[in-house]
Amino acid sequence: NAGVTQTPKFQVLKTGQSMTLQCAQDMNHNSMYWYRQDPGMGLRLIYYSASEGTTDKGEVPNGYNVSRLNKREFSLRLESAAPSQTSVYFCASSVGPGADYGYTFGSGTRLTVV
Amino acid sequence: GEDVEQSLFLSVREGDSSVINCTYTDSSSTYLYWYKQEPGAGLQLLTYIFSNMDMKQDQRLTVLLNKKDKHLSLRIADTQTGDSAIYFCAESDSWGKLQFGAGTQVVVTP
């Protein structure tokens, strides 16, 4: 089925550990995004990639890095996890600027940092 | 930056209509969206409205847009238990980036 695939679905990390969240889309979308979702705060943009080869900071980029590996894949890396990074992380993709189709979201990664 | 505001909770009886309200601040938003999130899942696009429209209807869903007041609403007719979810309002900027509200938890009671 076409869509956005995120791995892993669940992860528990110890403070200071690193990990990479993977995201891939098979819709030939140009733009990809990483959000975190925390109770009562909606979705906050961490990083985005408007097109292959470009990445930009969003609202809450501190503590994260991203890589747009190719048109399909956009990964999010936590270099040294902190308890404040406990959250649900969503990857999304879209056709690109000016398109009216909104975003397609993955099913999320639930990350707990202890 | 731009802010999108929504009430956090709505309780509605099965069969009644639900109305979820949203206010936004960016008058240049091209499109405005409603997303639905069921427990443990990602967000699904429900519907969207172009900024030069006042209303859009799609089966049980009606979106109303008041550009003067920067107010967006989603009406769900004949609300069912399967409509229990979190509903997010979002506005897009000219680059297609979305700004989301905090979400409205809708609980449908029998």
Side-chain angles (χ1 to χ4, degrees):
Chain A
N1 291 334
V4 177
T5 303
Q6 290 184 238
T7 56
K9 291 192 184 305
F10 300 93
Q11 184 72 47
V12 178
L13 288 179
K14 293 183 179 178
T15 298
Q17 286 186 318
S18 62
M19 78 162 295
T20 300
L21 281 64
Q22 307 286 353
C23 175
Q25 53 89 11
D26 58 5
M27 297 170 286
N28 201 35
H29 281 173
N30 293 303
S31 301
M32 298 185 74
Y33 313 83
W34 277 105
Y35 284 88
R36 59 178 290 173
Q37 183 179 26
D38 302 292
M41 301 189 74
L43 279 78
R44 292 182 292 169
L45 182 64
I46 304 171
Y47 271 94
Y48 67 101
S49 171
S51 60
E52 185 180 357
T54 69
T55 61
D56 286 287
K57 294 178 180 179
E59 183 184 353
V60 288
N62 291 344
Y64 306 94
N65 283 299
V66 290
S67 296
R68 183 76 183 265
L69 303 169
N70 47 56
K71 192 171 186 179
R72 290 186 64 246
E73 298 173 286
F74 188 39
S75 62
L76 178 72
R77 182 158 178 86
L78 287 70
E79 291 291 352
S80 178
S84 61
Q85 295 178 303
T86 293
S87 188
V88 181
Y89 291 85
F90 287 101
C91 177
S93 68
S94 68
V95 173
D100 62 355
Y101 306 121
Y103 291 2
T104 301
F105 281 85
S107 58
T109 296
R110 295 182 180 276
L111 175 67
T112 302
V113 183
V114 298
Chain B
E2 296 82 14
D3 286 324
V4 179
E5 295 189 354
Q6 304 176 237
S7 54
L8 293 183
F9 185 80
L10 176 67
S11 179
V12 61
R13 294 176 68 170
E14 193 174 8
D16 288 351
S17 292
S18 311
V19 179
I20 307 167
N21 294 302
C22 169
T23 58
Y24 62 97
T25 56
D26 187 357
S27 59
S28 65
S29 290
T30 308
Y31 297 96
L32 295 126
Y33 301 85
W34 284 103
Y35 283 83
K36 177 184 181 182
Q37 184 182 31
E38 296 181 356
L43 278 71
Q44 291 176 279
L45 179 64
L46 267 185
T47 187
Y48 65 90
I49 188 167
F50 189 49
S51 57
N52 69 352
M53 298 171 65
D54 297 325
M55 185 181 84
K56 180 178 180 180
Q57 189 150 2
D58 183 1
Q59 299 182 332
R60 292 191 297 122
L61 305 178
T62 302
V63 179
L64 296 177
L65 175 60
N66 180 329
K67 284 196 72 177
K68 175 177 168 291
D69 295 336
K70 298 191 185 70
H71 183 266
L72 182 74
S73 67
L74 174 69
R75 179 177 179 269
I76 305 173
D78 186 25
T79 308
Q80 303 298 309
T81 54
D83 295 323
S84 291
I86 302 175
Y87 292 81
F88 291 91
C89 167
E91 61 176 351
S92 69
D93 62 21
S94 57
W95 294 98
K97 292 208 321 297
L98 299 191
Q99 180 82 21
F100 289 88
T104 299
Q105 174 86 54
V106 174
V107 174
V108 182
T109 57

